[in-house]
Amino acid sequence: MRTLWISLRLLFAILAAVVIAIGHRLSRGPLVPGWTWGLELRRATLRSLLETATEIGRPEGWADLRLEAPLPRSLRGLVTVESDTVNGADGEWLRLPSLAASRPVLLYIHGGGFVVGSPGMERPFIAHLVAAARADAFSVDYRLSPRHRFPAALVDVTKAYLGLLERGIEPDRIVVTGDSAGGNLAAALLVRLRDEGLPLPAAAVIFSAWLDLAVTGSTIESNARTDYVPVIDTEPARHYLGETDPTMPWASPLYADLTGLPPMLVVAGGKEIILDDSTRFVHRAWEAGVDATLYVEEDMFHAWASVVPNHPVSQRTFTIAADWIEAHRSCDG
């Protein structure tokens, strides 16, 4: 009975959000100049879904929501998916079997605010990235909070990275990638590897990364109207952190010393609430002498390439990321 009640409440909330978005667009035009109807309605739907789920859901149960998304139709037959366990870390491989053995290897870390998500949920996004970058990817299924608090997720990601090395994959073939909370874990992994004197990967690409769990960015308020992510405070971070200081460098890489980290591509949306996390992180990287590139898609919301992977802007993002990986990988083509 409760499941039916939750489903109906979510359905009505989404329908109401769509009606409001349509009315707003008809009376005042698009929320962001240049947004299509599809983008605007997708933003409204996701915003309503997240707000309602946060109100009625139990964070302890969100880890059980595991969507197994199919591969994009255009990539079926080209990209293969295979479950695997690497050094005790579960996940799945996405591969282009037709490529040479020396291709890059992406260690992909999914998003979801540390409380939800899985490799299967982001399979279409990762598949597009694999195809564009002509690479293999191991998407790690790390433990989620609040059942498993910090540093459990970082431990799992570190195990997966070291497991790739144990399998004979050279560190200069590995590109660590992730989005949102996964972008946090990707950056935290680099900091941890550097701190512990372990081999660093060739590079990192992070998308819409949540890098400041103290939640101090100015765009949290200024971009609240244009993102689908509800305005965040310190409570979601506490599900992950427990009693850990939110400025601890392995928890919030924005506060880390970034000296000695490998080249990084930091991708962010100009209309997302945590844009300021990316811009501040890149400036700190520059100050530390790190080769960091910031790419901001001015009209897009949080993790747009994952939300609408077939959109032309997302396809452009995949191309930019792939070209950057090609320019920074060390292995032969």
Side-chain angles (χ1 to χ4, degrees):
M1 193 68 180
R2 175 175 169 78
T3 301
L4 177 60
W5 175 80
I6 291 174
S7 300
L8 289 174
R9 183 166 175 183
L10 289 172
L11 177 60
F12 285 126
I14 291 171
L15 289 174
V18 169
V19 170
I20 292 171
I22 292 173
H24 183 281
R25 185 175 176 109
L26 290 175
S27 61
R28 303 182 185 180
L31 186 61
V32 174
W35 273 14
T36 63
W37 275 99
L39 275 180
E40 191 139 359
L41 294 179
R42 181 64 63 90
R43 177 252 171 217
T45 299
L46 288 173
R47 174 86 176 222
S48 176
L49 178 64
L50 290 175
E51 288 179 336
T52 307
T54 301
E55 291 175 4
I56 64 178
R58 299 188 180 100
E60 293 79 4
W62 291 341
D64 299 326
L65 302 174
R66 300 179 64 85
L67 172 67
E68 295 294 321
L71 286 171
R73 186 183 303 273
S74 61
L75 297 179
R76 294 173 192 172
L78 298 176
V79 176
T80 63
V81 180
E82 178 187 359
S83 298
D84 196 4
T85 300
V86 176
N87 191 27
D90 293 335
E92 66 180 32
W93 285 97
L94 286 86
R95 293 187 173 101
L96 288 169
S98 61
L99 297 183
S102 58
R103 53 191 175 268
V105 175
L106 311 181
L107 175 60
Y108 199 89
I109 310 168
H110 69 78
F114 304 104
V115 298
V116 70
S118 67
M121 283 188 179
E122 296 208 31
R123 192 174 293 143
F125 171 69
I126 301 168
H128 278 293
L129 188 60
V130 162
R134 299 178 63 78
D136 291 343
F138 180 70
S139 179
V140 59
D141 193 9
Y142 58 87
R143 287 171 291 173
L144 299 173
S145 63
R147 292 177 182 171
H148 305 282
R149 298 191 188 273
F150 175 86
L154 181 58
V155 168
D156 292 347
V157 169
T158 305
K159 287 168 61 177
Y161 175 77
L162 295 178
L164 295 179
L165 301 186
E166 291 173 359
R167 292 193 177 190
I169 301 172
E170 300 86 354
D172 60 7
R173 283 181 57 200
I174 300 174
V175 179
V176 176
T177 54
D179 69 283
S180 195
N184 171 302
L185 290 168
L189 173 63
L190 300 182
V191 175
R192 179 181 182 180
L193 294 174
R194 190 275 320 276
D195 288 350
E196 297 187 344
L198 296 169
L200 290 166
V205 180
I206 58 177
F207 302 87
S208 294
W210 187 14
L211 299 163
D212 177 16
L213 301 191
V215 192
T216 64
S218 61
T219 50
I220 290 173
E221 293 186 2
S222 62
N223 281 349
R225 290 183 64 253
T226 53
D227 204 352
Y228 63 84
V229 179
V231 175
I232 57 176
D233 54 27
T234 57
E235 185 61 26
R238 282 296 168 197
H239 293 316
Y240 173 59
L241 293 174
E243 298 303 316
T244 301
D245 183 348
T247 64
M248 190 271 194
W250 289 9
S252 290
L254 179 66
Y255 300 98
D257 174 10
L258 304 181
T259 304
L261 297 191
M264 296 183 288
L265 173 63
V266 179
V267 181
K271 304 303 180 187
E272 66 172 310
I273 61 174
I274 55 173
L275 167 63
D276 203 35
D277 286 24
S278 293
T279 56
R280 289 183 293 164
F281 183 73
V282 169
H283 279 93
R284 286 184 55 83
W286 290 339
E287 291 171 355
V290 176
D291 177 6
T293 301
L294 176 65
Y295 167 58
V296 177
E297 190 63 61
E298 292 294 343
D299 290 339
M300 298 307 290
F301 43 60
H302 182 69
W304 67 94
S306 178
V307 173
V308 285
N310 291 314
H311 192 280
V313 175
S314 299
Q315 294 297 312
R316 180 169 68 217
T317 303
F318 292 131
T319 299
I320 289 170
D323 289 347
W324 190 91
I325 291 171
E326 175 67 24
H328 289 81
R329 69 191 183 102
S330 300
C331 58
D332 294 332

